[in-house]
Amino acid sequence: MRELLADAARRLTEAGVESPRVDAELLLASVLGVTRGRLLTLVTVPDDVAVRFGTLVDQRADRVPLQHLTGRAPFRFLELAVGPGVFVPRPETEQLTGWALERLAGTDGPIVVDLGSGSGAIALSIAHEHPGARVTAVDVSADALALARENAARTGLAVELLEHDAREGLPGGPYDLVVSNPPYVEPEDLPALMPDVREYEPHVALVGRGATEAVVRAAQDALRPGGWLVVEVGDGQAGAAAALLGGLGYADVTSTEDLTGRDRVVEGRRA
Ligand SMILES: C[S@@+](CC[C@H](N)C(=O)[O-])C[C@H]1O[C@@H](n2cnc3c(N)ncnc32)[C@H](O)[C@@H]1O
């Protein structure tokens, strides 16, 4: 076992994978159908497992995202199904969801919309962690909505799913909270992204010139007075996004740092 993992980690290091040892352990754990913690108590693996693991390590070395290979992504208290064609939820978005939940604290039965919902990570987490919230997950991608539907069924959580383009405003409302992790990569920044992201995440989930502005404008019309917009932004975009909210008349505009000290969440409430 130790040798197998060490070889795989070496292979993934050479391929430029960011967290080679952890990825190797998670891949082997997924083949064996055990947790990573349990994996480390095992000493040997059957030959057929070693062969299947080798195939996955080859694919990971080709920079196929880890979560596409395991088919799962943990997100806050949930374990979500993920796969090609739909954005893999990220740790920084777990934090965004936490801020959104704080804005809902003390509100009974809030009406919430997750704009650009992808796998349903934010919408389902809000439904899970704020019982009674009425949550709508909106996405322009039919593939994303199909996966969000699968995740709603997996988790037993109820959210409304809606195929809709945010550039046409927001149906329904008035909302107590609009939360969004929109596509915020500028096209010229695509080549600098890791191949796992650049080549495997759907373009519509990454690149969206003006997507943040579309979300901010759509939310302004759909929020109730005093309702909150909580939106994730790219590194270096918080100042412009906060200025946009301020310029449109949002009140109490703030930006918040992620765990690495970069401003990644911008919030404001409809005046
Ligand atoms: C960065 S992903 C976020 C997915 C998910 N909320 C998460 O955080 O993991 C952006 C999502 O916005 C969706 N999207 C892109 N443009 C959109 C638009 N104009 N209207 C609605 N959804 C859009 C994409 O399909 C994608 O699922």
Side-chain angles (χ1 to χ4, degrees), residues 4 11 42-43 78 96 111 121 145-146 167 179 197 207 235 244:
L4 195 66
R11 174 95 210 280
L42 304 177
V43 179
L78 305 177
L96 169 89
I111 301 178
L145 289 163
R167 289 167 296 192
V179 58
V197 180
V207 182
D235 194 12
L244 175 67

Side-chain angles (χ1 to χ4, degrees), residues 44-123:
T44 57
V45 288
D47 285 350
D48 63 321
V49 168
V51 170
R52 272 190 288 149
F53 175 58
T55 307
L56 290 178
V57 171
D58 286 347
Q59 289 175 284
R60 185 70 190 109
D62 285 340
R63 308 304 293 270
V64 178
L66 173 73
Q67 296 85 348
H68 287 188
L69 298 173
T70 61
R72 296 283 177 269
F75 191 87
R76 294 182 67 87
F77 298 101
L78 305 177
E79 191 185 62
L80 300 172
V82 293
V86 183
F87 191 77
V88 174
R90 303 293 203 273
E92 56 267 36
T93 308
E94 295 181 280
Q95 250 190 310
L96 169 89
T97 307
W99 291 119
L101 282 158
E102 282 202 15
R103 295 303 183 195
L104 292 179
T107 309
D108 277 340
I111 301 178
V112 177
V113 62
D114 171 10
L115 196 42
S117 49
S119 63
I122 303 171

Side-chain angles (χ1 to χ4, degrees), residues 1-267:
M1 167 76 78
R2 227 184 290 159
E3 213 174 299
L4 195 66
L5 283 172
D7 283 349
R10 205 173 308 118
R11 174 95 210 280
L12 296 181
T13 304
E14 284 163 11
V17 170
E18 263 192 335
S19 47
R21 175 75 194 194
V22 173
D23 284 21
E25 289 175 6
L26 289 170
L27 286 174
L28 186 51
S30 93
V31 177
L32 283 164
V34 299
T35 63
R36 188 171 153 221
R38 169 97 178 87
L39 173 80
L40 301 178
T41 67
L42 304 177
V43 179
T44 57
V45 288
D47 285 350
D48 63 321
V49 168
V51 170
R52 272 190 288 149
F53 175 58
T55 307
L56 290 178
V57 171
D58 286 347
Q59 289 175 284
R60 185 70 190 109
D62 285 340
R63 308 304 293 270
V64 178
L66 173 73
Q67 296 85 348
H68 287 188
L69 298 173
T70 61
R72 296 283 177 269
F75 191 87
R76 294 182 67 87
F77 298 101
L78 305 177
E79 191 185 62
L80 300 172
V82 293
V86 183
F87 191 77
V88 174
R90 303 293 203 273
E92 56 267 36
T93 308
E94 295 181 280
Q95 250 190 310
L96 169 89
T97 307
W99 291 119
L101 282 158
E102 282 202 15
R103 295 303 183 195
L104 292 179
T107 309
D108 277 340
I111 301 178
V112 177
V113 62
D114 171 10
L115 196 42
S117 49
S119 63
I122 303 171
L124 291 166
S125 292
I126 289 176
H128 182 227
E129 295 180 54
H130 195 106
R134 284 154 56 194
V135 188
T136 304
V138 172
D139 208 291
V140 74
S141 154
D143 287 345
L145 289 163
L147 188 63
R149 187 169 300 111
E150 183 183 334
N151 279 320
R154 270 178 66 79
T155 56
L157 293 162
V159 296
E160 186 190 1
L161 300 164
L162 197 62
E163 188 171 336
H164 179 77
D165 189 329
R167 289 167 296 192
E168 291 165 11
L170 249 179
Y175 295 100
D176 296 290
L177 172 78
V178 176
V179 58
S180 183
N181 174 20
Y184 49 66
V185 177
E186 299 293 339
E188 55 274 19
D189 294 335
L190 257 187
L193 296 181
M194 289 191 306
D196 324 33
V197 180
R198 190 180 63 226
E199 287 166 27
Y200 289 94
E201 293 290 12
H203 195 264
V204 67
L206 291 179
V207 182
R209 207 187 272 289
T212 302
E213 182 166 348
V215 165
V216 172
R217 287 184 183 279
Q220 197 188 25
D221 293 335
L223 283 166
R224 68 161 170 78
W228 283 95
L229 167 66
V230 181
V231 62
E232 185 170 318
V233 296
D235 194 12
Q237 296 177 351
L244 175 67
L245 265 72
L248 286 171
Y250 279 84
D252 301 326
V253 176
T254 52
S255 53
T256 311
E257 292 179 352
D258 67 8
L259 294 170
T260 63
R262 296 169 302 165
D263 276 345
R264 294 295 304 280
V265 175
V266 174
E267 299 172 73

